Amino acid sequence: RATKRADSDIIGFVASTNKLPNILLPERIHPRGQSLLEARGNVIIPKAPDEATLLSLVHDVDAIVIRALTRVTRRLMEAAPQLKVVGRHGIGVDNIDVEAATDLGVWVVNTPDAPTEPVAEHFLMLALMLQKHFAFTKRVLDTGDWSIRMDRPGRELRGRTVGIVGFGRIGRRIAEICCLGFGCQILYADTIDGGERAATLAARRVPLDQLLAESDIVSLNVPLIAATRHMISTRELNLMKPTAYLINLCRGPVWDEAAVCEALKTKRIAGAATDVFETEPAPADHPLLQLDNFVATPHSSSSTEEALERMSLVAEDVIAVLDGQEPRWPVNSIGAARMA
């Protein structure tokens, strides 16, 4: 039915029989995960992931598998009466209305373990780039004026205090790398105690204000929810050491970009780095990108060959739900009554 209803919006359709469930795939994923979906159902690949296009396709869709560019809204799910599951390729579910999904009896599943290693490694890359003044030294190379190359001597990571805001999978892995590899002292702020994992690293749980005041490098690793939106703004930046660095590897709105930009311009903090922006894609003339104490990457921290394959295996949980089973990595709970 999907091919007849909106041919102009579809660029790919893999089907064995119309008796199989329909799976909407707005953004292509690693072949391993996509092949699992294709073996289980009719995979519909639209021309674009915008809501208008998706609304024309979802009436008889049983599953939706998304990445970062697609938003699954209440409106979209209400237009899909057969919808059973939304699979998130990755961790963050801020682009899915999870409350609406729960209300409508739709499972939301993700891949919480898949991006841990590449994002933790990305933190290390950005931390070293900040401490070695990468943006400044690149300007030296671009201009050819080597006479200023010694104006900003770098700093070593070894022995620094690293503050981790959000001690989940990624935060803990960052702590391991910094503690065991570089002899760093670890502070963390979280609503939940880190338990044995924190104890083995001698990581101390402290209030956020204390973490900001005492850390040489601060890593933001929290989900984007109402309580974390702009959790780092002018007041919090003023608590940090002027020699400290701030790194955002979660979501752009977790920090106040305007406040971060002002703190960097006035040298209130030594530098900052991010993989995410409040609006993506970030424009080339973004104020932060003009600063030589700022480093950024284009929301690519989890984009390794290995992680992309692991994230595509959200397909396994999607298939489990389509087969009437409970998923391994549920974000919400819809209860047995609604599964029936």
Side-chain angles (χ1 to χ4, degrees):
R1 286 181 292 167
T3 51
K4 294 179 181 178
R5 186 175 63 253
D7 283 340
S8 63
D9 290 327
I10 298 173
I11 60 173
F13 189 88
V14 181
S16 300
T17 168
N18 281 335
K19 293 180 181 179
L20 294 174
N22 293 319
I23 303 169
L24 187 61
L25 187 64
E27 301 168 71
R28 292 185 183 272
I29 61 176
H30 188 277
R32 183 178 174 192
Q34 188 162 327
S35 65
L36 291 175
L37 296 175
E38 290 169 356
R40 181 62 183 85
N42 305 319
V43 175
I44 304 165
I45 302 173
K47 285 185 176 180
D50 62 283
E51 186 172 70
T53 299
L54 300 185
L55 280 169
S56 71
L57 300 172
V58 296
H59 179 70
D60 56 0
V61 158
D62 300 275
I64 304 174
V65 178
I66 68 165
R67 296 179 67 172
L69 295 180
T70 307
R71 298 196 65 82
V72 180
T73 62
R74 180 180 290 272
R75 182 187 181 199
L76 188 66
M77 288 183 280
E78 287 178 341
Q82 294 182 193
L83 186 63
K84 300 175 182 65
V85 58
V86 176
R88 174 64 166 95
H89 176 286
I91 295 179
V93 292
D94 49 286
N95 55 340
I96 302 171
D97 189 334
V98 178
E99 181 179 355
T102 305
D103 291 345
L104 296 167
V106 176
W107 283 106
V108 177
V109 297
N110 65 354
T111 56
D113 282 334
T116 299
E117 191 63 30
V119 176
E121 290 181 5
H122 210 82
F123 165 83
L124 183 62
M125 177 187 77
L126 294 178
L128 292 172
M129 291 173 78
L130 286 172
Q131 298 231 133
K132 304 295 183 180
H133 301 304
F134 173 81
F136 169 74
T137 55
K138 184 178 184 301
R139 180 160 63 85
V140 170
L141 289 172
D142 290 344
T143 62
D145 183 8
W146 284 43
S147 65
I148 63 172
R149 73 189 191 279
M150 299 300 182
D151 287 359
R152 296 190 194 177
R155 301 177 70 194
E156 296 172 8
L157 181 57
R158 183 169 182 81
R160 301 294 174 193
T161 298
V162 176
I164 299 173
V165 183
F167 205 62
R169 291 174 175 85
I170 293 171
R172 292 194 300 267
R173 183 61 181 135
I174 290 171
E176 289 176 351
I177 293 172
C178 293
C179 177
L180 302 179
F182 292 87
C184 295
Q185 307 299 312
I186 305 297
L187 303 178
Y188 72 97
D190 202 305
T191 56
I192 300 173
D193 186 83
E196 183 178 345
R197 194 74 167 272
T200 59
L201 301 173
R204 293 191 294 124
R205 183 185 179 198
V206 298
L208 176 61
D209 285 3
Q210 182 180 344
L211 180 148
L212 294 170
E214 296 182 7
S215 298
D216 298 303
I217 305 172
V218 175
S219 178
L220 303 179
N221 304 99
V222 296
L224 177 59
I225 57 176
T228 61
R229 186 175 292 272
H230 281 194
M231 69 181 297
I232 302 297
S233 193
T234 301
R235 188 192 78 84
E236 290 75 24
L237 291 163
N238 285 338
L239 296 174
M240 296 177 65
K241 301 176 183 178
T243 55
Y245 298 100
L246 178 63
I247 299 176
N248 185 357
L249 287 173
C250 46
R251 288 293 185 267
V254 166
W255 68 11
D256 179 342
E257 282 185 357
V260 172
C261 190
E262 182 63 21
L264 294 175
K265 286 180 178 178
T266 60
K267 302 296 190 292
R268 183 62 198 80
I269 60 174
T274 193
D275 185 51
V276 289
F277 289 84
E278 291 203 48
T279 300
E280 296 182 353
D285 62 352
H286 193 291
L288 283 170
L289 297 176
Q290 314 313 309
L291 304 176
D292 62 10
N293 55 352
F294 179 77
V295 178
T297 50
H299 205 149
S300 57
S301 63
S302 62
S303 295
T304 63
E305 292 181 7
E306 299 88 347
L308 289 171
E309 180 175 356
R310 291 193 297 268
M311 287 187 285
S312 78
L313 296 183
V314 70
E316 294 177 338
D317 259 356
V318 169
I319 291 169
V321 172
L322 293 177
D323 288 341
Q325 303 169 13
E326 290 200 16
R328 181 185 181 193
W329 298 115
V331 174
N332 62 346
S333 177
I334 66 172
R338 290 191 172 182
M339 287 183 65

